Amino acid sequence: MRAVCWYGKEDLRVENVSDPAIINPRDAILKVTSGAICGSDLHLYNGYIPTMKKGDVLGHEFMGEIVDVGPEVKTLKPGDRVVSPFTISCGACFFCKHELWSLCDNSNPNAGLAEKMYGSLSGAGLFGYSHLYGGYSGGQAEYVRVPFADVGLAKVPEGLSDEQALFVGDILSTAYMAAENCQIQRGDTVAVWGCGPVGLLSIRCAQMLGAERVIAIDRVPERLHLAEQDGKTLVLDDSKTDILEELAELTGGLGPDACIDAVGMEAHGSIYDHVKQAVRLETDRPVALRQAIQACRKGGTVSIPGVYGGFIDKFPMGAAFAKGLTFKMGQTHVPRYMKMLLERISKGEIDPSFIITHRLPLDDAPQAYRVFRDKENECVKVVVKP
Amino acid sequence: MKVKTKARELSVEGVRKQDEHNRPGDTPLTGGIQLRRAVRILKPAEALYDFWHDFSNLPRIMPNLDDVRLLDSHHSRWQARVLDRTFTWDAELITDEPPHRLSWRSIENSDVENSGSVTFEQAPGDRGTDVKVVLTYNPPAGPAGQWLAKWLGEEPASQLAEDLRRFKQLMEAGEIPTNARRLDEIVHAHRREGVLR
């Protein structure tokens, strides 16, 4: 089958690789009808994520049709149209039983490696996201072997297009959990750093969860435009204004009740962080996170969909402590949200496809990564069709 | 029972095709090696005990073991392989307290003197079963000791951690995860625990 393969920093190639087949009894084989490139895929593209091997197949946002199932798959059959989460969860461990799906004990075959690196038990394996996270072959391909298929794969309701359904497997669920983690109360103002796909969807989800007002922060014109399209969201351009001053003014000096960092480890700006990264004293650039901490009101919540990988410097712990902030973060517990979100999309409460700006065949994926990363042609979200 | 002496890690080169036992720098082990590890499994002690009590199940979670056969209610024959060399030993069951404790020991004059124990205790708060394993190896002097060192690998403690990880995966999820795309890509082809047959 054809698949997008990683060969090094900024070196992706579409190649013929072996077709997946059932190995374990709870597997299913999916024929991919649509996939996407995620913002976190750019960390792989830019060489920030360790434990990649040449030939690794990328992609963790994908959906399609089941073509084969193992004997222990009971709720799905060939022909079913499903979306996959980006996480892989066994359904039987303590964490899965508590709906902490992205912290599954049993789905990472390289759990020992993660344990060595992070000093505690590994979380769930992910599709197409380095050997640290399991080394699974990803969804920017024609077929995928999906382990523990019953647990993750969600059937697509009749009448939804691929573009409407695809994002529940990652970014829409991620945005929803980010908004849910804000612990939104009636009357709250939520500020969102980053108007990429996750940020844009977080705005919608925060509104769905009852935020009185959402303020969105970015510097890319077409992204700010998409954010304010609903006529309700206030946008701030951080290349033109002082965000902290603006937020203070907009909230009577209080600061937003909750802040979402939808930027993560490759934030723009800060000579300090770039220099530290260059001399390997820091691995991540937490510029948006620091601002969120400074801006957040006393007793507020900072919600971090991320992604962060390593260490950060100059974390305003004193400010966070003095203000009594709550931090909620982590990889999305996707299966918690998928079915609910698919229903809401069916009912017309949200249509996430508005963020798609580029649709390309699989063979064009390598160039698309660059376009996405450099935000050329007003690129916001790329959908890939095998 | 031999007196347990302080464990010493052996530095062993990776496996190569030729010339295995005469590599300069290999030091034979002296003294005992003890490995211990705990894992919490969300299954009742009985189910875990039943699996372990039938020692012939162990190769499914310990790829280091080629085969374990039950000879009678108290004796088993164990076989392990390092490259082209096989070594075998018989073990006897010393303690059997279902469903909480098992211990076993290799009989006199075994290739590899070793013993092991496993306990299954209810985790606090009804959160499953805490499984604790202790394995002890008393390597012989000379080349056999070097083979043992190679068999145990560079990081014996990591081996045990992986073995117990597999035990937990098999007991909870019913399978041992793999990241291969297809069966014929699985490297250790002779170890297909939990795999579709």
Side-chain angles (χ1 to χ4, degrees):
Chain A
M1 67 166 182
R2 307 281 292 157
V4 178
C5 302
W6 184 94
Y7 275 89
K9 183 173 138 108
E10 294 168 353
D11 183 1
L12 304 181
R13 306 176 201 174
V14 179
E15 295 190 327
N16 277 317
V17 301
S18 61
D19 284 7
I22 301 288
I23 301 179
N24 276 335
R26 298 174 63 190
D27 289 348
I29 304 298
L30 195 74
K31 180 173 156 68
V32 179
T33 54
S34 294
I37 304 176
C38 184
S40 54
D41 285 333
L42 295 179
H43 305 318
L44 297 170
Y45 183 69
N46 290 331
Y48 277 101
I49 306 291
T51 76
M52 291 296 290
K53 291 187 188 161
K54 290 193 203 291
D56 283 350
V57 173
L58 302 188
H60 58 266
E61 295 188 83
F62 60 97
M63 65 181 287
E65 185 191 312
I66 295 181
V67 294
D68 200 3
V69 293
E72 291 302 318
V73 175
K74 305 297 187 194
T75 63
L76 302 163
K77 60 188 188 310
D80 284 348
R81 184 166 167 244
V82 293
V83 187
S84 180
F86 73 96
T87 49
I88 300 168
S89 315
C90 76
C93 65
F94 172 88
F95 296 92
C96 287
K97 295 267 191 221
H98 284 77
E99 295 200 285
L100 299 170
W101 305 100
S102 73
L103 298 175
C104 172
D105 272 334
N106 294 322
S107 62
N108 186 354
N110 297 329
L113 182 60
E115 214 175 279
K116 277 200 179 80
M117 284 191 58
Y118 285 132
S120 75
L121 297 183
S122 170
L126 308 179
F127 288 103
Y129 212 80
S130 91
H131 288 263
L132 186 61
Y133 285 100
Y136 286 101
S137 194
Q140 286 162 15
E142 292 182 85
Y143 294 91
V144 186
R145 180 180 72 90
V146 178
F148 309 120
D150 280 325
V151 178
L153 297 178
K155 292 194 214 184
V156 182
E158 287 285 327
L160 292 191
S161 69
D162 269 21
E163 292 186 359
Q164 286 174 303
L166 175 61
F167 300 141
V168 305
D170 184 355
I171 55 174
L172 182 58
S173 288
T174 298
Y176 191 91
M177 184 165 121
E180 189 180 72
N181 278 348
C182 287
Q183 306 178 106
I184 297 170
Q185 308 293 318
R186 226 158 62 90
D188 272 0
T189 293
V190 177
V192 179
W193 274 257
C195 295
V198 169
L200 289 170
L201 293 173
S202 297
I203 296 167
R204 301 284 174 273
C205 290
Q207 289 162 345
M208 266 164 46
L209 284 165
E212 183 74 28
R213 190 177 47 164
V214 182
I215 302 167
I217 299 151
D218 205 294
R219 59 178 58 178
V220 179
E222 56 271 11
R223 296 181 176 210
L224 289 169
H225 178 65
L226 278 170
E228 64 183 351
Q229 235 176 32
D230 62 2
K232 295 185 282 186
T233 304
L234 285 161
V235 298
L236 299 176
D237 184 335
D238 83 307
S239 66
K240 300 200 169 94
T241 65
D242 183 314
I243 295 302
L244 295 175
E245 272 181 26
E246 285 281 350
L247 285 174
E249 197 166 307
L250 285 166
T251 57
L254 190 58
D257 301 282
C259 298
I260 296 177
D261 169 9
V263 175
M265 63 192 276
E266 288 197 65
H268 280 296
S270 178
I271 304 273
Y272 176 86
D273 292 296
H274 278 288
V275 169
K276 289 213 96 171
Q277 264 187 329
V279 296
R280 306 258 190 276
L281 288 177
E282 190 179 45
T283 61
D284 299 5
R285 304 195 297 266
V287 181
L289 180 60
R290 286 191 200 111
Q291 270 194 354
I293 292 167
Q294 286 180 274
C296 198
R297 69 141 163 96
K298 294 181 287 181
T301 303
V302 176
S303 164
I304 309 173
V307 170
Y308 288 94
F311 295 89
I312 62 175
D313 200 1
K314 292 276 181 287
F315 183 88
M317 189 61 188
F321 176 79
K323 295 201 285 186
L325 297 181
T326 297
F327 288 81
K328 299 196 100 179
M329 66 189 78
Q331 295 282 10
T332 317
H333 301 302
V334 182
R336 234 197 246 169
Y337 306 106
M338 288 174 94
K339 292 182 168 92
M340 176 271 297
L341 288 170
L342 283 167
E343 261 177 49
R344 293 183 102 145
I345 296 169
S346 277
K347 290 189 195 150
E349 286 176 40
I350 182 169
D351 185 342
S353 62
F354 76 93
I355 61 172
I356 302 173
T357 52
H358 289 65
R359 296 157 177 86
L360 301 162
L362 190 71
D363 282 304
D364 291 346
Q367 298 93 288
Y369 268 77
R370 198 183 38 76
V371 167
F372 180 35
R373 180 194 64 186
D374 298 340
K375 303 174 177 81
E376 292 174 13
N377 304 334
E378 305 191 344
C379 183
V380 175
K381 186 70 176 177
V382 182
V383 165
V384 171
K385 295 272 196 194
Chain B
M1 272 312 226
K2 288 266 172 169
V3 172
K4 178 187 67 158
T5 51
K6 193 167 168 179
R8 255 201 277 161
E9 287 282 82
L10 173 79
S11 157
V12 177
E13 313 260 355
V15 174
R16 310 254 176 90
K17 289 227 166 96
Q18 279 144 3
D19 199 20
E20 278 307 317
H21 12 290
N22 295 314
R23 182 187 316 288
D26 271 357
T27 13
L29 292 163
T30 55
I33 296 178
Q34 190 188 82
L35 309 171
R36 11 181 10 119
R37 178 87 175 186
V39 68
R40 179 168 295 181
I41 302 182
L42 205 58
K43 286 289 174 203
E46 287 77 10
L48 306 180
Y49 166 91
D50 283 347
F51 179 93
W52 207 285
H53 182 257
D54 181 354
F55 289 114
S56 68
N57 279 322
L58 293 185
R60 294 165 73 190
I61 60 169
M62 296 176 165
N64 255 3
L65 294 172
D66 228 26
D67 188 63
V68 180
R69 201 156 301 206
L70 296 180
L71 299 173
D72 59 46
S73 63
H74 276 72
H75 294 89
S76 45
R77 179 155 295 156
W78 301 50
Q79 187 175 297
R81 196 190 331 208
V82 186
L83 303 174
D84 55 338
R85 189 197 145 125
T86 304
F87 47 102
T88 314
W89 65 92
D90 284 0
E92 58 181 326
L93 198 56
I94 305 296
T95 320
D96 186 2
E97 295 161 17
H100 293 300
R101 171 183 290 275
L102 282 166
S103 77
W104 61 96
R105 181 178 63 206
S106 57
I107 63 171
E108 291 289 325
N109 300 322
S110 291
D111 269 356
V112 179
E113 203 181 298
N114 69 89
S115 63
S117 71
V118 59
T119 57
F120 308 98
E121 299 297 338
Q122 185 167 70
D126 240 345
R127 290 191 178 178
T129 305
D130 279 347
V131 179
K132 292 182 192 160
V133 173
V134 181
L135 301 179
T136 309
Y137 294 91
N138 248 329
Q146 295 184 13
W147 283 110
L148 174 68
K150 286 209 165 40
W151 180 62
L152 288 176
E154 289 196 15
E155 298 186 51
S158 288
Q159 285 269 25
L160 179 58
E162 291 308 308
D163 293 343
L164 289 182
R165 215 185 303 280
R166 278 181 277 264
F167 184 43
K168 180 180 160 86
Q169 288 160 351
L170 195 57
M171 294 293 100
E172 286 181 353
E175 356 179 296
I176 293 170
T178 170
N179 57 22
R181 269 194 295 275
R182 42 191 303 121
L183 202 55
D184 47 37
E185 287 172 359
I186 294 179
V187 176
H188 299 293
H190 62 290
R191 291 274 162 250
R192 295 187 195 185
E193 305 86 359
V195 152
L196 182 64
R197 293 193 193 282

